[in-house]
Amino acid sequence: MNWLPLREELALLPGPRLADGQPSWTLHDPTRNRFFSLDWPTFEILSRWSFGDRQAIAASVSQDSALQLGAEDVEQVARFLGENQLLQARPGNARQQAERLATARGSRLNWLLHHYLFFRVPLVRPDAWLSRWQGLAGRLDSRGFALLTLAALLLGLTQVARHWDSFAASLVDTFTCRGLAAYGVALFVVKLLHELGHAFTAKRLGCRVPSMGVAFLVLWPMAYTDTNETWRLSSRWQRLRVAAAGIVTELGVAAWATLAWGLLPDGELRSAAFVLATTSWVATLAINASPFMRFDGYFILSDWLDMPNLHERSFALARWKLREWLFDLGEERPEHFARGKERALIAFAWVTWLYRLVVFLGIAVLVYHFAVKLIGILLFAVEIAWFILKPIRHELRAWRERWPAIRRRRRSLLTVVLLAVVITLMLMPWPGRISASGILRPVSVWPVHAPGPAQLETLPHREGAAVAAGEPIARMVSPMLLAQREAAAAKAERLRWLAASAGFGADSRARLQSVQEELATAEAELAALGRELTRYEPRAPFAGHLHDLDPDLHSGQWLADKERLALLVGDDGYRVDTYLDEDVVKRVRVGDTARFVSDGAEGTVLRLRVSHVDLDATRTLDDGRLAAQAGGHIMVRERRGELIPEHAQYRVSLAVETPVGALAGGSWRGTLVIHGEGEAPALRYLRNALAVLLREAGF
């Protein structure tokens, strides 16, 4: 290409020493307010740029310094200058400049997508205002105020620890419409102070702050401060101060607000201090301190490590390592670091990718749910395509460019084989192990209660004793009922005598009909009392064994109404009941085997077999022990005292085929594993995805 001189308005500033010890310089483009970090070889080349010849520049650098450069090094710098528009435009080159500008802007669709995903709205030019208020800001940035803030923090945390119950109750009370509105106002105030912290610190170190305003990330507003001029600073520790100023400001606000909450009486001011304190802590630790997005935590980490463009450099290293793992191409590293630092950067890149995947998927889901359905679907697709599919597409394009080398490597064949194995495993049905919580209970069970206040006469059986069907389990006496029966018997006997002697007198014969009616009523009452008394001598409705007998029961003891005496467990075995959702229950058939382990009996494993599967979903959960709130596996919500499953649940009963041993006589919750039909993992994910698509489409 033709030789072009440097633009005259460019400024060259001294920069910090790089990690390898060599000096650096910063090239400032004032037109676009962009900064470029230059290493020693690039600086030496630019110092001789007026020579106008690649060979002459390379020879001069090699002769006058310890560097040994060639014409190709000068050519590389020339490409860098041209790509970043740092060279003067050639006369008559307006068309090429226009084409370059159009290429940079891209199509209208690309411009629209980019500005939907991120754009800035500058609101104020604070540089002059920051200079006027620098005196006050300097006092707040003093060592004395920092020590005072630390003391306030310690005292505030002490108050929170002493009154933790009140602090936690205040947190619960803020989850209301008024509380959420207060959090919104507090978040606005905290973020304003956060940006002022950046601005005042940058101004104090001699940087210009051209603008402050609001940036929109996927239409979500965030405050921003233009601190690009911190690249003028030659010390990375000064840049680190500017990057950390926002977080330090928020932590200072949190410290003083925490102290205010601990000292103020109950009221509006204390509530405001609580909201301000919690907002500052959460916003700082959960958002700003994260190094995985380009927030303050990222710039702090970048300056602390003295690694500008940390994300891009770690990503390039991770992509190189991925290609080496997959294809063993033997390519040169993008950058050379110590082994430990290289591993840390690669791990950082992978964690950042996973973090961003979760964040961008969450943003996409939020955009979908909070927008009109058609627009939501479109924006959801944009989010997935831009943030997830686009990076994958770029990496696949890099693989395509390296395809001739990839095809020749033995590692590539191994990668293809492993990929084929993974795909096969995803498409092949896996053993159908279905895990759920279940309840072990006897098939037949009959609790023995005292039908009313009574005195225990005899209890002929002991714990675990076998009882035949119809055999009495206990004998109880109710003096009140016995007295009522004696009175009813005497009354019936008297009425029988009156009825028998009715024929001896005219008056008696006239009363015969009424006496007979009274006699029938008395005999019915006597029979009812007889039946009631038989309840005090309960007999086994089926053969079984007695359990849960109170060892303190003895003859002559008085029993309360409905007091439980024992539990009769039938000899026809035990069963386990559980509930499965509609996706899982399709894989269960009558006759499938299963295993059950009780939560309260270690080492006891029962063999089961599926005996029944309901065809209709249950409306309510009859046993709260299977609810997730109680440690089970079913998500439920409570309505009018009943537990309603969040998703359709089908009851499955399983017969126990082995002795229950120590579990006999009780009802136990445990872990159930059913060996159902196998299913390919890919089929399950595909079915779930199709179900979501059909549901959201309104089918």
Side-chain angles (χ1 to χ4, degrees), residues 367-379:
V367 168
Y368 170 76
H369 283 289
F370 285 98
V372 179
K373 177 163 287 191
L374 181 60
I375 299 177
I377 294 174
L378 177 61
L379 298 182

Side-chain angles (χ1 to χ4, degrees), residues 579 617-649 669:
Y579 292 87
T618 184
R619 295 185 178 181
T620 60
L621 190 65
D622 58 358
D623 197 319
R625 289 177 292 176
L626 294 179
Q629 295 87 329
H633 72 286
I634 304 175
M635 297 297 298
V636 299
R637 64 181 183 277
E638 188 173 356
R639 180 188 298 171
R640 298 177 182 176
E642 295 182 331
L643 298 177
I644 311 299
E646 293 286 354
H647 306 286
Q649 299 289 331
R669 188 184 68 189

Side-chain angles (χ1 to χ4, degrees), residues 41-119:
T42 305
F43 170 76
E44 294 292 347
I45 292 174
L46 291 183
S47 300
R48 298 164 175 80
W49 196 256
S50 59
F51 290 6
D53 182 77
R54 296 168 181 75
Q55 295 290 348
I57 293 175
S60 177
V61 173
S62 301
Q63 181 179 354
D64 299 340
S65 69
L67 298 170
Q68 297 297 318
L69 303 181
E72 63 277 4
D73 298 311
V74 181
E75 179 64 29
Q76 185 176 359
V77 173
R79 286 197 298 269
F80 160 75
L81 297 173
E83 291 171 357
N84 291 280
Q85 304 178 31
L86 300 174
L87 300 174
Q88 294 184 16
R90 210 168 31 246
N93 199 27
R95 176 176 295 180
Q96 294 183 5
Q97 292 293 330
E99 292 176 354
R100 179 178 297 178
L101 179 62
T103 302
R105 289 179 175 176
S107 64
R108 292 184 179 180
L109 177 60
N110 188 58
W111 181 91
L112 180 62
L113 292 178
H114 184 271
H115 283 73
Y116 154 67
L117 297 172
F118 181 81
F119 65 94

Side-chain angles (χ1 to χ4, degrees), residues 122-143:
L123 298 177
V124 295
R125 299 184 179 276
D127 198 66
W129 180 83
L130 293 173
S131 298
R132 289 195 297 269
W133 289 90
Q134 194 61 236
L136 176 61
R139 295 188 184 94
L140 298 178
D141 192 40
S142 63
R143 181 181 180 87

